[in-house]
């Protein structure tokens, strides 16, 4: 396991101890090695809280193929609830949201109603860009993409100028993100900018640069520079 993976597992272990409810989302297929690994983490957790198994993408399989999946997961862990759904179906999502609300404990309101996140704006912007990259490349580029905000300038006319480095581990991944004649990178930038402007409530000028940094997920210095350690 690369260093980033080890760090993320460590963070997940800590998060389990603070969780009020856990949603374990899987695809409609029998558990694989990664799923079993997560279930073992759940077993090791000392925090007793509801665990809901969410089986997504059920619109892609036959109903008769779903029952064996539910049965296999039920043998591995005693889930409080198992919810098969399609994220494209609003009714399915409403059922899940209602279930979460029912199982969550009452507690104080830590933030005002208008506070969407406790993360810095730059972090959210980087995550939006990374999300658009994953949506545009789907399975072509694995989770070896990092986004770094290298310049953030708020101008007097209200425009925010942002320069962004997109790191990948292989030259071939760089070509996939850029696309033929730069078309894919341009589309990623347009989609990200629209959502970022909506989030910030201001106009944004954004430059995207794709760079290769081999095996960055295993490089301690790079992980620290990217704020991932």
């Amino acid at each position: 396991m690369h260093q980033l993976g080890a760090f993320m597992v460590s963070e997940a272990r800590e998060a389990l101890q603070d969780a009020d409810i856990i949603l374990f989302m899987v695809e409609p297929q029998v558990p694989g090695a990664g799923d079993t690994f997560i279930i073992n983490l759940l077993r090791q957790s000392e925090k007793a809280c509801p665990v809901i198994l969410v089986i997504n993408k059920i619109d892609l399989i036959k109903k008769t193929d779903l029952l064996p999946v539910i049965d296999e997961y039920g043998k591995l862990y005693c889930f409080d609830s198992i919810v098969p759904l399609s994220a494209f179906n609003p009714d399915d999502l409403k059922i899940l949201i209602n279930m979460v609300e029912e199982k969550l404990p009452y507690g104080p309101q830590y933030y005002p109603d208008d506070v969407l996140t406790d993360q810095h704006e730059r972090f959210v912007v980087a995550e939006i860009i990374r999300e658009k990259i994953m949506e545009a490349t789907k399975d072509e580029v694995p989770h070896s993409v990092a986004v770094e905000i290298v310049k953030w300038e708020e101008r007097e006319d209200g425009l925010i100028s942002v320069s962004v480095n997109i790191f990948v581990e292989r030259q071939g991944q760089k070509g996939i993100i850029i696309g033929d004649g730069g078309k894919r990178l341009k589309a990623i930038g347009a989609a990200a900018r629209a959502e970022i402007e909506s989030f910030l409530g201001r106009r944004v000028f954004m430059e995207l640069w794709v760079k290769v940094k081999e095996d960055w997920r295993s490089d301690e210095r790079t992980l620290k520079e990217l704020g991932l350690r």
Side-chain angles (χ1 to χ4, degrees):
M1 181 184 295
H2 49 71
Q3 290 195 40
L4 177 59
F7 172 70
M8 292 175 68
V9 170
S10 175
E11 290 289 289
R13 289 182 189 274
E14 291 186 19
L16 286 176
Q17 307 311 315
D18 294 328
D20 292 319
I21 187 170
I22 297 171
L23 273 65
F24 178 25
M25 182 174 289
V26 300
E27 296 192 0
Q29 54 194 22
V30 294
D35 303 311
T36 304
F37 178 80
I38 293 174
I39 288 174
N40 286 333
L41 288 182
L42 294 174
R43 287 176 179 153
Q44 296 166 16
S45 174
E46 299 176 358
K47 178 73 177 288
C49 69
V51 180
I52 300 175
L53 176 68
V54 182
I55 305 176
N56 191 22
K57 301 183 180 180
I58 62 170
D59 53 306
L60 301 180
I61 65 169
K62 299 177 181 178
K63 290 184 178 180
T64 52
D65 294 332
L66 179 60
L67 292 177
V69 176
I70 295 175
D71 184 57
E72 286 298 317
Y73 274 101
K75 293 176 182 177
L76 293 176
Y77 191 83
C78 184
F79 295 97
D80 290 81
S81 301
I82 297 179
V83 184
L85 58 74
S86 167
F88 290 117
N89 188 332
D91 292 334
D92 287 354
L93 296 179
K94 188 177 295 184
I95 291 172
L96 178 61
I97 292 171
N98 289 339
M99 181 176 294
V100 170
E101 290 179 345
E102 290 173 1
K103 294 182 181 296
L104 277 175
Y106 285 97
Q109 180 173 337
Y110 292 106
Y111 302 99
D113 291 337
D114 60 345
V115 175
L116 301 178
T117 176
D118 61 350
Q119 296 291 341
H120 195 279
E121 288 179 342
R122 299 189 188 194
F123 173 84
V124 177
V125 166
E127 286 299 292
I128 290 173
I129 296 169
R130 189 171 184 275
E131 176 189 54
K132 300 310 175 187
I133 293 170
M134 301 307 295
E135 289 177 352
T137 58
K138 301 189 185 301
D139 295 331
E140 292 183 87
V141 177
H143 294 272
S144 57
V145 177
V147 176
E148 178 188 30
I149 307 294
V150 293
K151 187 189 79 170
W152 182 288
E153 180 184 356
E154 300 188 16
R155 297 184 357 189
E156 292 182 359
D157 60 0
L159 181 75
I160 297 178
S161 179
V162 182
S163 184
V164 180
N165 283 340
I166 299 170
F167 292 111
V168 294
E169 292 187 310
R170 302 288 181 267
Q171 192 68 34
Q173 295 169 346
K174 177 179 179 179
I176 290 172
I177 291 177
I178 293 175
D180 185 23
K183 291 180 180 178
R184 177 172 282 170
L185 184 62
K186 185 177 180 180
I188 290 170
R193 183 168 53 253
E195 187 167 333
I196 291 168
E197 288 182 337
S198 176
F199 168 68
L200 297 174
R202 298 171 64 176
R203 293 182 301 116
V204 174
F205 171 78
M206 186 167 60
E207 293 180 309
L208 301 179
W209 305 94
V210 185
K211 300 183 178 183
V212 176
K213 184 168 284 193
E214 292 189 2
D215 299 320
W216 66 263
R217 290 182 295 175
S218 296
D219 185 79
E220 184 77 20
R221 180 177 178 180
T222 300
L223 292 175
K224 288 181 178 179
E225 289 175 350
L226 294 172
L228 298 174
R229 288 303 302 266

